[in-house]
Amino acid sequence: MTCRDCIRKNHCCVWCYDQDFVGKRCFAKGTLQDQKCNSNGTENNVATSVTITKQNSFADVKEDVNGAVQLSPQEFNIFLRHEEPINLTITYRPAKNFPLDLYYLMDLTWSMKPDLETLKTLGSSLTTHLEKLTKNYHIAFGSYIDKPEVPYYLTDPTNRDNPCNIDGGTCEKGYVFKHRINFTNYVKMFIEKVTKSDVSANLDDLEGGLDALMQILFCGKKLGWRTNSRKLVLVATEAGMHLAGDGILGGYTKRNEKGKCLVDNDGNYVLSQYYDYPSLEEVDKQLKDKKTNLIVAAKSHMYYYYKRMADVLKEAIYVGELQINSTNVLNLVDEGYYSFIRKVNLFTSEIDGLEVDFFADCDGNGIWKKKQTCTNAEEGKEINFKVQLMLTKYQNKESDVLYIEESNIQEKIKINLNYVGSTCTCLYLEQKGQKTCDHGEFNCGDCLCEEGWTGDTCSEQCINNQNMCRYVDNNNITSLTCSGRGNCICSKCNCQSKRYQGEFCEWECPYDKSTQQVCAGNGICTNGTCECKENYSGEKCSCHNSIENCKIPGYDGNDSICNGKGTCNCNTCKCDKGSSGHYCENCDGCQGLCNRFNSQVIEHVINRNQQIKPVRVEIVEDLPEEKRSCVHRYEQDGKKCDIFYTYNTIWKDNSVLVKATEPICNAPLAAGTLVGLIIGAFLLLAFIIIVVWKGRNWIRDKREYQEFLRAREQSKHSEENPIYKNPVVTYNNPMEKATVQT
């Protein structure tokens, strides 16, 4: 219980222990001590309250990249009592042109050579692409291979300096990680560094990418990461990565537990022969601590390998499929960037005895759900959260500081917590107009009466028999005074809150945390049981029996309830397995509610008939591709037309707002042109196949001939077999020779 429920607002409650009672009483210390109580803790009774102490307006990024404001308010001052929940409302709005730091980390093993050549050609297209994401971008570049030691690398003199020699090629000497250029907005310099880079090689199929990633995170300022920025690391690869424990093969067992930056001034990772590879748990912790997200662009045969890695790294990673020669790498940057910017995730540190719950109104419709993440954030769009704080355990200190953070940005909301009732320090700065307490003591602006006295000045006498505030149960056991849930005042129980009822506070009423009310405010509690109002049910009367919030606006019939893919429970859709969304409209292969709004779109956009609620159609100049959730296609005057639109259900008034574009029409190709294009495409495809086949044969023949020459040069034997004996024998007749000479 708390002092707030004693006779006077500002009384100090005293913990009391005696042979008959264990609990808290609200009388003068002297009175309790006379009853042989030992005081070992007191409570001050300042009321629970919330004050906003700092609230700067939202701000986009203009000239000062550190001037963005995306969380509001920025600071609260709170007086918090035991078991009295308190709600804060905070808002998140992504700033336009918020700084982006993109680190391009590339696997530069031999097989990635074509991908490196593609990166070298990006040039101005990279600049244009990044400027579409934000005007305030910085980009850095580094590469990784593997530990240049046995058994991951050839260490003989011939192959150490040129690890590609074994395949008859020439490449750069091996390394684990090489940081090649600090963060810069000068893309031309970035491309120059990329152009000067070369591939290398290692022995096994796994690479040292996690070693490189950890150094990128550890080396922070040395590499040029900005404090206030959205941080992304893009990894382009076609191989897997070594994990913790693989280093034991080379005798590397140490952990980089202190997070040392091991990149020297030339950008080389040193001491690679000393530390083991990091674990995914270590990577996950560092990504979260550094508020950095990871985009993995993996070739098709490794895609599911990294999808399994995403099961561990979860919120911090996005995995995309990298096409041949990295031709779609910029698209993957787009996809990864928007997957993270659309997600807002709030979290806070833990304080023992403090329960923190998050509630979100992601859709802006006034319906709050217990969650701390929304996935529909957009630049300039405000998303509201409620944070409920409840003290479940008395604290042995007066105050604390709690921070609420967003997982991808450095802004914080500061909450100054003042624990009311944990100590008896009077929080009044001055005690003016002190009153005379006839039978009590003055404390914190009020009279704290002795037992048997009450009233504003403790002048009204009453009999206070503690036994009158206890009862004997069926097992002949005497209860605590007021069941431990209230104070005995003048022989009657004063229950500490409306949650407790009865002559001895013996009944506990169902309490709904989300509404902070007994019976959720939708019923009356009698003897610990809720009697619900009409249209409400459940133990806490928190279940609304209506189905209006489950019906798709503007439609009747059974399939309009939860889209026919769920059941309506307490006026909320409970979706079948595989479906999700407010109306269970989301599933694999589904188009949401698109088909249901086609008729309204046609009526308004094509026929120009204004619609009224519950479906309202609004024509917009354009919709970004990522917002084109629906499309209506039709033919008009020999042309094929598309109307792109998106919808947003507004639960407050059970209506739908549809935003649609004007029709975009294109004339179909003439039949002759279409046939010509098809024939031309087939001929071009056949030519390409022939060239590829010829080229493949030429490369294979050349490789086999080179192998033959190399084998012949390395042969230690002569051209003739030493055990071979020629079957032809020649004899010379000396007499014949002499005759001829004569």
Side-chain angles (χ1 to χ4, degrees):
M1 64 165 293
T2 64
C3 289
R4 175 171 169 268
D5 307 295
C6 295
I7 286 182
R8 291 289 148 240
K9 272 189 176 182
N10 300 309
H11 284 175
C12 272
C13 296
V14 180
W15 289 85
C16 175
Y17 298 84
D18 62 22
Q19 60 183 2
D20 183 53
F21 175 83
V22 179
K24 282 172 281 185
R25 298 181 184 177
C26 197
F27 299 101
K29 294 181 183 178
T31 301
L32 293 175
Q33 289 169 354
D34 289 343
Q35 296 180 353
K36 298 181 181 180
C37 290
N38 296 317
S39 172
N40 71 341
T42 57
E43 291 185 353
N44 182 276
N45 189 44
V46 173
T48 299
S49 65
V50 177
T51 305
I52 297 173
T53 55
K54 184 178 180 181
Q55 189 172 17
N56 295 333
S57 301
F58 291 112
D60 295 325
V61 177
K62 295 180 181 178
E63 294 180 0
D64 181 10
V65 294
N66 295 315
V69 177
Q70 301 179 102
L71 286 172
S72 183
Q74 292 80 41
E75 188 171 353
F76 292 90
N77 199 33
I78 294 177
F79 288 95
L80 191 62
R81 302 192 66 85
H82 182 248
E83 291 188 346
E84 291 188 18
I86 199 166
N87 280 340
L88 313 176
T89 299
I90 61 178
T91 305
Y92 171 76
R93 194 200 76 165
K96 295 180 181 179
N97 291 319
F98 190 72
L100 168 66
D101 288 345
L102 173 65
Y103 196 106
Y104 197 117
L105 177 62
M106 192 168 185
D107 169 4
L108 283 190
T109 50
W110 179 260
S111 57
M112 291 290 286
K113 189 170 185 177
D115 302 83
L116 177 61
E117 296 304 319
T118 299
L119 185 58
K120 292 177 181 179
T121 63
L122 291 181
S124 59
S125 61
L126 178 59
T127 304
T128 304
H129 203 83
L130 291 174
E131 286 181 347
K132 289 181 180 179
L133 303 180
T134 175
K135 301 296 183 184
N136 297 298
Y137 65 84
H138 280 182
I139 187 168
F141 179 62
S143 58
Y144 67 90
I145 306 295
D146 204 354
K147 294 182 185 294
E149 306 292 339
V150 173
Y152 321 101
Y153 187 80
L154 288 173
T155 56
D156 60 281
T158 303
N159 294 303
R160 175 177 284 277
D161 293 332
N162 179 20
C164 299
N165 179 62
I166 190 172
D167 292 322
T170 302
C171 63
E172 191 174 0
K173 185 178 179 179
Y175 53 86
V176 179
F177 168 56
K178 183 171 290 188
H179 171 65
R180 297 179 182 270
I181 183 173
N182 276 9
F183 283 98
T184 178
N185 60 357
Y186 191 27
V187 174
K188 185 177 180 180
M189 183 184 298
F190 171 86
I191 296 297
E192 286 176 358
K193 286 292 183 181
V194 172
T195 303
K196 293 178 181 178
S197 303
D198 196 5
V199 294
S200 187
N202 61 332
L203 280 179
D204 58 6
D205 292 333
L206 300 176
E207 328 291 13
L210 293 185
D211 259 343
L213 178 59
M214 290 294 274
Q215 286 305 302
I216 290 171
L217 298 174
F218 286 150
C219 293
K221 293 182 179 178
K222 187 169 186 176
L223 308 187
W225 287 106
R226 290 176 288 183
T227 301
N228 190 27
S229 66
R230 187 174 294 276
K231 300 172 178 62
L232 297 179
V233 178
L234 170 66
V235 179
T237 182
E238 70 164 2
M241 295 185 183
H242 281 294
L243 300 173
D246 290 351
I248 198 171
L249 298 174
Y252 318 130
T253 58
K254 299 290 184 181
R255 317 296 308 163
N256 190 357
E257 295 176 350
K258 295 183 178 180
K260 297 178 182 177
C261 175
L262 302 175
V263 175
D264 62 21
N265 293 331
D266 294 325
N268 296 307
Y269 172 46
V270 297
L271 298 180
S272 63
Q273 75 282 11
Y274 187 71
Y275 292 107
D276 187 13
Y277 300 96
S279 66
L280 287 181
E281 181 183 10
E282 291 173 299
V283 172
D284 184 52
K285 181 179 184 305
Q286 287 303 316
L287 287 172
K288 289 178 180 176
D289 288 350
K290 302 298 189 298
K291 295 193 172 182
T292 303
N293 294 123
L294 181 64
I295 302 173
V296 177
K299 294 293 181 69
S300 58
H301 63 282
M302 295 303 300
Y303 177 76
Y304 289 102
Y305 170 91
Y306 285 101
K307 289 294 284 185
R308 290 195 298 272
M309 184 182 289
D311 293 338
V312 178
L313 301 181
K314 296 180 180 178
E315 305 294 334
I317 185 173
Y318 172 83
V319 180
E321 186 174 332
L322 190 64
Q323 294 178 359
I324 297 174
N325 298 346
S326 296
T327 53
N328 68 327
V329 68
L330 294 183
N331 292 334
L332 294 182
V333 172
D334 263 2
E335 293 171 11
Y337 174 80
Y338 283 113
S339 73
F340 293 124
I341 199 173
R342 288 186 186 128
K343 185 181 299 179
V344 51
N345 178 59
L346 299 183
F347 70 95
T348 185
S349 55
E350 293 185 3
I351 294 178
D352 186 34
L354 180 67
E355 186 178 286
V356 182
D357 290 320
F358 289 91
F359 298 85
D361 177 17
C362 298
D363 298 310
N365 50 39
I367 293 181
W368 300 87
K369 295 185 179 179
K370 189 174 182 180
K371 58 194 300 189
Q372 61 194 77
T373 302
C374 290
T375 56
N376 61 341
E378 299 175 14
E379 288 185 354
K381 174 186 175 182
E382 295 183 5
I383 296 181
N384 294 319
F385 290 87
K386 284 184 181 178
V387 185
Q388 186 177 91
L389 306 176
M390 187 168 75
L391 198 62
T392 59
K393 178 179 178 182
Y394 285 97
Q395 304 293 312
N396 58 3
K397 51 190 172 182
E398 295 182 5
S399 62
D400 253 323
V401 176
L402 181 73
Y403 290 98
I404 296 175
E405 302 182 50
E406 203 282 319
S407 59
N408 292 319
I409 62 175
Q410 293 298 328
E411 291 180 51
K412 298 180 181 180
I413 295 175
K414 183 180 181 181
I415 300 177
N416 300 303
L417 295 172
N418 300 286
Y419 299 125
V420 180
S422 292
T423 63
C424 200
T425 302
C426 184
L427 298 179
Y428 289 90
L429 297 178
E430 298 182 12
Q431 296 190 24
K432 296 181 179 179
Q434 293 187 4
K435 55 182 79 171
T436 301
C437 302
D438 294 343
H439 297 279
E441 57 190 52
F442 186 82
N443 184 274
C444 291
D446 218 331
C447 286
L448 189 63
C449 299
E450 297 173 356
E451 187 170 8
W453 294 90
T454 186
D456 191 43
T457 59
C458 303
S459 58
E460 302 171 22
Q461 190 172 15
C462 67
I463 296 173
N464 191 45
N465 185 347
Q466 297 287 331
N467 289 326
M468 297 292 290
C469 295
R470 303 167 187 157
Y471 68 95
V472 179
D473 65 15
N474 295 333
N475 296 319
N476 204 31
I477 297 176
T478 302
S479 72
L480 296 176
T481 299
C482 299
S483 304
R485 297 166 174 166
N487 282 319
C488 188
I489 308 296
C490 296
S491 301
K492 292 184 178 181
C493 285
N494 181 12
C495 301
Q496 72 180 60
S497 76
K498 293 181 180 179
R499 292 177 62 179
Y500 306 111
Q501 293 181 348
E503 182 182 356
F504 305 102
C505 307
E506 68 271 31
W507 302 110
E508 182 176 359
C509 295
Y511 181 78
D512 184 66
K513 285 185 179 181
S514 61
T515 60
Q516 301 183 49
Q517 296 183 66
V518 170
C519 300
N522 301 316
I524 299 173
C525 181
T526 304
N527 295 338
T529 302
C530 287
E531 296 179 6
C532 302
K533 297 178 182 178
E534 187 178 359
N535 294 326
Y536 288 93
S537 62
E539 182 186 0
K540 300 178 183 179
C541 299
S542 56
C543 179
H544 197 294
N545 297 329
S546 170
I547 62 171
E548 289 304 312
N549 199 37
C550 299
K551 293 175 65 176
I552 299 173
Y555 289 90
D556 296 319
N558 292 332
D559 66 338
S560 70
I561 299 175
C562 301
N563 203 30
K565 297 179 181 177
T567 56
C568 189
N569 184 22
C570 298
N571 209 20
T572 301
C573 284
K574 184 177 181 182
C575 301
D576 298 336
K577 187 176 181 180
S579 298
S580 62
H582 185 83
Y583 296 120
C584 306
E585 70 271 25
N586 301 324
C587 68
D588 291 339
C590 294
Q591 292 186 348
L593 301 176
C594 292
N595 293 335
R596 295 184 178 270
F597 302 129
N598 267 344
S599 59
Q600 285 87 351
V601 170
I602 294 170
E603 192 68 21
H604 184 75
V605 179
I606 300 177
N607 300 332
R608 296 299 179 179
N609 291 328
Q610 179 65 45
Q611 298 297 300
I612 59 175
K613 290 184 179 180
V615 179
R616 294 174 293 156
V617 180
E618 176 185 319
I619 298 178
V620 296
E621 291 184 3
D622 189 24
L623 277 177
E625 280 193 34
E626 64 271 11
K627 292 184 180 179
R628 295 180 178 182
S629 51
C630 306
V631 60
H632 171 64
R633 289 178 176 161
Y634 65 100
E635 289 191 13
Q636 182 178 11
D637 300 330
K639 297 180 180 180
K640 292 186 177 181
C641 302
D642 289 339
I643 299 176
F644 297 101
Y645 63 96
T646 185
Y647 61 87
N648 181 33
T649 45
I650 304 171
W651 322 132
K652 281 183 179 178
D653 58 358
N654 201 30
S655 65
V656 175
L657 174 63
V658 176
K659 292 184 178 181
T661 64
E662 291 282 8
I664 301 173
C665 301
N666 296 301
L669 291 174
T673 304
L674 185 60
V675 171
L677 288 175
I678 294 173
I679 294 173
F682 273 114
L683 291 176
L684 179 61
L685 180 61
F687 177 74
I688 292 173
I689 292 173
I690 293 171
V691 170
V692 171
W693 181 72
K694 285 287 189 180
R696 175 179 172 276
N697 289 343
W698 181 79
I699 292 172
R700 186 177 61 183
D701 291 345
K702 185 177 180 181
R703 186 178 297 164
E704 290 178 356
Y705 180 68
Q706 292 294 332
E707 185 64 28
F708 164 73
L709 294 178
R710 193 159 44 246
R712 188 175 68 177
E713 290 175 359
Q714 294 177 357
S715 176
K716 296 182 180 179
H717 300 294
S718 64
E719 293 288 341
E720 296 186 5
N721 192 329
I723 64 173
Y724 173 77
K725 185 174 182 181
N726 195 327
V728 179
V729 179
T730 303
Y731 294 95
N732 294 322
N733 188 336
M735 294 299 297
E736 182 180 350
K737 184 176 181 182
T739 304
V740 172
Q741 289 177 346
T742 302

